[in-house]
Short mmCIF file of all heavy atoms in Angstrom, two decimals:
data_model
loop_
_atom_site.label_atom_id
_atom_site.label_comp_id
_atom_site.label_asym_id
_atom_site.label_seq_id
_atom_site.Cartn_x
_atom_site.Cartn_y
_atom_site.Cartn_z
N ASP A 44 4.02 -31.73 -0.90
CA ASP A 44 2.72 -32.34 -1.06
C ASP A 44 1.63 -31.46 -0.49
O ASP A 44 0.40 -31.73 -0.73
CB ASP A 44 2.64 -33.70 -0.30
CG ASP A 44 3.71 -34.66 -0.91
OD1 ASP A 44 3.98 -34.60 -2.13
OD2 ASP A 44 4.34 -35.38 -0.12
N LEU A 45 1.97 -30.43 0.26
CA LEU A 45 0.98 -29.63 1.01
C LEU A 45 0.82 -28.27 0.38
O LEU A 45 -0.18 -27.56 0.73
CB LEU A 45 1.36 -29.43 2.44
CG LEU A 45 1.54 -30.74 3.24
CD1 LEU A 45 2.15 -30.49 4.63
CD2 LEU A 45 0.18 -31.45 3.38
N CYS A 46 1.69 -27.86 -0.50
CA CYS A 46 1.67 -26.53 -1.14
C CYS A 46 1.76 -26.66 -2.64
O CYS A 46 2.28 -27.66 -3.16
CB CYS A 46 2.83 -25.70 -0.61
SG CYS A 46 2.84 -25.38 1.16
N ILE A 47 1.23 -25.66 -3.33
CA ILE A 47 1.34 -25.66 -4.83
C ILE A 47 2.78 -25.49 -5.23
O ILE A 47 3.26 -26.11 -6.14
CB ILE A 47 0.49 -24.46 -5.37
CG1 ILE A 47 -0.99 -24.75 -5.16
CG2 ILE A 47 0.76 -24.25 -6.85
CD1 ILE A 47 -1.92 -23.68 -5.62
N GLU A 48 3.49 -24.57 -4.58
CA GLU A 48 4.88 -24.32 -4.97
C GLU A 48 5.84 -25.24 -4.31
O GLU A 48 5.55 -25.81 -3.27
CB GLU A 48 5.29 -22.87 -4.57
CG GLU A 48 4.43 -21.74 -5.17
CD GLU A 48 3.14 -21.50 -4.39
OE1 GLU A 48 2.91 -22.17 -3.36
OE2 GLU A 48 2.39 -20.62 -4.81
N ARG A 49 6.98 -25.53 -4.92
CA ARG A 49 7.98 -26.34 -4.33
C ARG A 49 8.67 -25.55 -3.24
O ARG A 49 9.00 -24.38 -3.38
CB ARG A 49 8.98 -26.83 -5.37
CG ARG A 49 10.04 -27.71 -4.83
CD ARG A 49 10.96 -28.21 -5.89
NE ARG A 49 12.02 -29.12 -5.36
CZ ARG A 49 13.14 -28.69 -4.86
NH1 ARG A 49 13.47 -27.35 -4.85
NH2 ARG A 49 14.05 -29.55 -4.37
N VAL A 50 8.92 -26.18 -2.11
CA VAL A 50 9.60 -25.58 -0.99
C VAL A 50 11.03 -26.05 -0.95
O VAL A 50 11.30 -27.19 -0.70
CB VAL A 50 8.88 -25.96 0.35
CG1 VAL A 50 9.56 -25.23 1.51
CG2 VAL A 50 7.45 -25.50 0.28
N ASP A 51 11.95 -25.15 -1.24
CA ASP A 51 13.36 -25.51 -1.19
C ASP A 51 13.98 -25.03 0.15
O ASP A 51 14.41 -23.91 0.32
CB ASP A 51 14.06 -24.78 -2.32
CG ASP A 51 15.54 -25.17 -2.49
OD1 ASP A 51 15.99 -26.06 -1.73
OD2 ASP A 51 16.28 -24.51 -3.22
N LEU A 52 14.02 -25.94 1.11
CA LEU A 52 14.52 -25.60 2.40
C LEU A 52 15.99 -25.22 2.40
O LEU A 52 16.47 -24.43 3.20
CB LEU A 52 14.27 -26.73 3.39
CG LEU A 52 12.81 -27.02 3.80
CD1 LEU A 52 12.70 -28.27 4.62
CD2 LEU A 52 12.17 -25.80 4.52
N ALA A 53 16.69 -25.78 1.44
CA ALA A 53 18.12 -25.46 1.31
C ALA A 53 18.38 -24.01 1.05
O ALA A 53 19.43 -23.48 1.40
CB ALA A 53 18.73 -26.31 0.24
N ALA A 54 17.38 -23.32 0.44
CA ALA A 54 17.54 -21.91 0.19
C ALA A 54 17.59 -21.11 1.44
O ALA A 54 18.06 -19.96 1.44
CB ALA A 54 16.35 -21.41 -0.72
N PHE A 55 17.02 -21.64 2.51
CA PHE A 55 17.07 -20.92 3.81
C PHE A 55 18.44 -21.17 4.57
O PHE A 55 18.62 -20.61 5.64
CB PHE A 55 15.95 -21.43 4.72
CG PHE A 55 14.56 -21.01 4.21
CD1 PHE A 55 13.85 -21.89 3.44
CD2 PHE A 55 14.04 -19.80 4.59
CE1 PHE A 55 12.61 -21.51 2.99
CE2 PHE A 55 12.73 -19.46 4.11
CZ PHE A 55 12.06 -20.31 3.31
N SER A 56 19.28 -21.97 3.94
CA SER A 56 20.46 -22.37 4.66
C SER A 56 21.69 -22.22 3.70
O SER A 56 21.81 -22.87 2.73
CB SER A 56 20.35 -23.88 5.04
OG SER A 56 21.51 -24.33 5.65
N PRO A 57 22.60 -21.28 3.94
CA PRO A 57 22.58 -20.40 5.11
C PRO A 57 21.91 -18.99 4.73
O PRO A 57 22.54 -18.19 4.11
CB PRO A 57 24.09 -20.18 5.43
CG PRO A 57 24.75 -20.32 4.10
CD PRO A 57 23.86 -21.24 3.25
N LYS A 58 20.68 -18.86 5.13
CA LYS A 58 20.02 -17.59 5.05
C LYS A 58 20.11 -16.90 3.70
O LYS A 58 20.26 -15.73 3.56
CB LYS A 58 20.49 -16.60 6.15
CG LYS A 58 20.03 -16.90 7.54
CD LYS A 58 18.46 -16.71 7.58
CE LYS A 58 17.97 -17.05 9.00
NZ LYS A 58 16.51 -17.05 9.06
N THR A 59 19.94 -17.77 2.62
CA THR A 59 19.89 -17.16 1.25
C THR A 59 18.65 -16.31 1.13
O THR A 59 18.62 -15.28 0.57
CB THR A 59 19.87 -18.29 0.23
OG1 THR A 59 21.01 -19.09 0.46
CG2 THR A 59 19.92 -17.70 -1.17
N ILE A 60 17.55 -16.78 1.72
CA ILE A 60 16.28 -16.02 1.79
C ILE A 60 15.78 -16.12 3.23
O ILE A 60 16.09 -17.00 3.95
CB ILE A 60 15.26 -16.57 0.81
CG1 ILE A 60 14.92 -18.03 1.08
CG2 ILE A 60 15.68 -16.36 -0.66
CD1 ILE A 60 13.82 -18.62 0.26
N ASP A 61 14.96 -15.06 3.59
CA ASP A 61 14.41 -15.05 4.94
C ASP A 61 13.01 -15.68 5.01
O ASP A 61 12.65 -16.26 5.95
CB ASP A 61 14.32 -13.63 5.44
CG ASP A 61 15.68 -13.05 5.72
OD1 ASP A 61 16.55 -13.80 6.19
OD2 ASP A 61 15.91 -11.87 5.48
N ARG A 62 12.28 -15.44 3.88
CA ARG A 62 10.85 -15.96 3.91
C ARG A 62 10.42 -16.16 2.43
O ARG A 62 11.02 -15.67 1.49
CB ARG A 62 9.93 -14.98 4.65
CG ARG A 62 9.95 -13.62 4.04
CD ARG A 62 9.26 -12.63 4.97
NE ARG A 62 10.07 -12.41 6.20
CZ ARG A 62 9.68 -12.65 7.43
NH1 ARG A 62 8.47 -13.19 7.69
NH2 ARG A 62 10.49 -12.51 8.45
N VAL A 63 9.34 -16.87 2.27
CA VAL A 63 8.89 -17.17 0.98
C VAL A 63 7.33 -17.22 1.00
O VAL A 63 6.74 -17.55 1.98
CB VAL A 63 9.40 -18.56 0.46
CG1 VAL A 63 8.91 -19.71 1.31
CG2 VAL A 63 9.17 -18.76 -1.00
N ASP A 64 6.71 -16.79 -0.13
CA ASP A 64 5.23 -16.90 -0.22
C ASP A 64 4.84 -18.23 -0.84
O ASP A 64 5.41 -18.62 -1.87
CB ASP A 64 4.77 -15.73 -1.09
CG ASP A 64 4.97 -14.37 -0.38
OD1 ASP A 64 4.80 -14.35 0.82
OD2 ASP A 64 5.16 -13.38 -1.08
N LEU A 65 3.89 -18.88 -0.24
CA LEU A 65 3.47 -20.12 -0.69
C LEU A 65 1.89 -20.15 -0.74
O LEU A 65 1.26 -19.31 -0.17
CB LEU A 65 3.89 -21.28 0.27
CG LEU A 65 5.42 -21.45 0.46
CD1 LEU A 65 5.66 -22.46 1.60
CD2 LEU A 65 6.05 -21.92 -0.82
N THR A 66 1.37 -21.20 -1.35
CA THR A 66 -0.09 -21.42 -1.42
C THR A 66 -0.39 -22.79 -0.86
O THR A 66 -0.01 -23.81 -1.43
CB THR A 66 -0.59 -21.30 -2.85
OG1 THR A 66 -0.21 -20.08 -3.48
CG2 THR A 66 -2.14 -21.33 -2.86
#
Side-chain angles (χ1 to χ4, degrees):
D44 300 322
L45 302 171
C46 299
I47 292 178
E48 302 84 0
R49 181 175 180 275
V50 182
D51 183 10
L52 291 174
F55 293 92
S56 178
K58 286 296 180 184
T59 306
I60 57 175
D61 290 323
R62 58 194 69 240
V63 65
D64 292 326
L65 301 171
T66 308

